Amino acid sequence: MSDPTPGIHHVTCIAGDPQRNLDFWVETLGLRLVKRSINQDDPGTYHFFFADAEGTPGTSMTFFPWENMAQGKVGSGQVSRTAFRVPEGSLDFWEDRFDEYGVGYEDRVERFGETVLPFADPDGLPVGLVAVEIPDDDPTVPWTAFVPEGHAIRGFHSVTLRLADPEPTTDVLRAMGLDEQGTEQAQGDTPGNRRTRFAAAGPVGTYVDVLPTVQSGRQGHGTVHHVAFQTPTDEDQQATRKAVRSLDVSPTRQIDRHWFRSVYFREPGGVLFELATNGPGYDSDEPLDDLGGRLVLPGRFEERREEIEAELTDVRVPEPPAAEADD
Ligand code: ZN
């Protein structure tokens, strides 16, 4: 028996300078670096995974810092904003923190009855924080090295897809088990471009918003490379793969990504989708307490460690300020 996707698994984006990327996502936003690895298709570059304290599915924002790539432009066929959940009442904290760290942010907007604080990361990647009630039994585990528990980011809220022709994409979302929640002329969107919200079954990374657009985009720094959805088991993944295959998309065979197993396909609107299993997980090759502490080279790359390390730019992972010593 297989189930429809509970929601987003991870979102992978393109950054420029790896140190600047680490500093922002670890120190300013307070996510945990749960895996420091390489791009398995381009081993001379990093792949950073930022998530909650335990790398829970639905919390990991990952980056390819491709220093030589040009600045991208968000447009049709792309994820135009990735939003994260924060506890209700914490947006004042975040605005103060952004002022302190010199992060530009926009005015808060109301969408589907929720308040969103839109901002961008140092590469210009459009992101946002959405204030939500976090239940006591929430599956995410806050990482509190830089941001107090009551304000910490608690995984994904949503992605917004910009599409020239939304219809074929929404058929794919329905085939994956997402339900249409409603359509509105949302605050902050171009007048006439009505936003339609789809919801998955799980509590984290639940929503996909679809927004029509005529502007074309270009992949580069500050854009999303792909969005992955949770298919917890291999059976779930096979069933979803089969469901989308009937809609004229061409999913790959299952690929072993070491911390999860993946199937990729480009949905009809042009966005690269991935279906990822929940296991083996980020703690399958290093202890939970040590996640992100060292460069992890999956499988066959370990024997080339010296050569790979020589090619990578040196980076320093931000450390939380030491507690004041009693003397
Ligand atoms: Zn991925």
Side-chain angles (χ1 to χ4, degrees), residues 1-5 9 229-244 251-257 260-265 274-279:
M1 190 58 197
S2 62
D3 293 314
T5 181
H9 182 284
F229 293 89
Q230 298 172 49
T231 46
T233 66
D234 290 329
E235 292 70 37
D236 297 329
Q237 188 178 64
Q238 278 314 308
T240 306
R241 182 179 184 277
K242 200 171 159 195
V244 299
T252 62
R253 299 244 159 236
Q254 190 184 65
I255 297 170
D256 183 2
R257 288 306 189 190
F260 36 82
R261 294 177 293 280
S262 301
V263 165
Y264 299 85
F265 61 93
E274 174 182 347
L275 309 173
T277 57
N278 281 0

Side-chain angles (χ1 to χ4, degrees), residues 10 12 226 264 274:
H10 65 269
T12 295
H226 64 268
Y264 299 85
E274 174 182 347

Side-chain angles (χ1 to χ4, degrees), residues 18-82:
Q19 186 64 59
R20 190 175 66 169
N21 180 249
L22 271 175
D23 288 344
F24 185 79
W25 286 87
V26 172
E27 184 172 350
T28 310
L29 293 187
L31 295 186
R32 184 180 189 190
L33 177 69
V34 294
K35 200 61 67 183
R36 189 190 319 189
S37 192
I38 51 162
N39 182 322
Q40 293 177 36
D41 300 318
D42 179 15
T45 59
Y46 283 111
H47 191 179
F48 296 142
F49 297 72
F50 306 111
D52 74 349
E54 297 188 357
T56 308
T59 69
S60 50
M61 185 73 164
T62 97
F63 287 88
F64 300 139
W66 280 328
E67 293 178 84
N68 296 327
M69 205 168 190
Q71 187 65 33
K73 180 169 164 271
V74 174
S76 66
Q78 290 193 358
V79 171
S80 63
R81 192 173 298 276
T82 305

Side-chain angles (χ1 to χ4, degrees), residues 166-282:
E167 205 57 42
T169 301
T170 60
D171 288 344
V172 169
L173 293 174
R174 285 193 188 90
M176 290 168 61
L178 286 88
D179 289 324
E180 188 172 332
Q181 298 280 291
T183 296
E184 69 173 35
Q185 173 65 57
Q187 253 187 321
D189 291 342
T190 308
N193 286 358
R194 292 174 65 82
R195 178 181 287 257
T196 303
R197 173 156 291 183
F198 289 81
V204 187
T206 310
Y207 302 108
V208 176
D209 285 2
V210 168
L211 199 56
T213 190
V214 289
Q215 276 178 338
S216 60
R218 184 179 61 244
Q219 200 160 72
H221 294 164
T223 62
V224 171
H225 186 269
H226 64 268
V227 52
F229 293 89
Q230 298 172 49
T231 46
T233 66
D234 290 329
E235 292 70 37
D236 297 329
Q237 188 178 64
Q238 278 314 308
T240 306
R241 182 179 184 277
K242 200 171 159 195
V244 299
R245 215 178 162 180
S246 65
L247 291 169
D248 211 21
V249 300
S250 308
T252 62
R253 299 244 159 236
Q254 190 184 65
I255 297 170
D256 183 2
R257 288 306 189 190
H258 194 63
W259 304 289
F260 36 82
R261 294 177 293 280
S262 301
V263 165
Y264 299 85
F265 61 93
R266 202 166 287 282
E267 57 80 27
V271 184
L272 185 60
F273 277 11
E274 174 182 347
L275 309 173
T277 57
N278 281 0
Y282 298 122

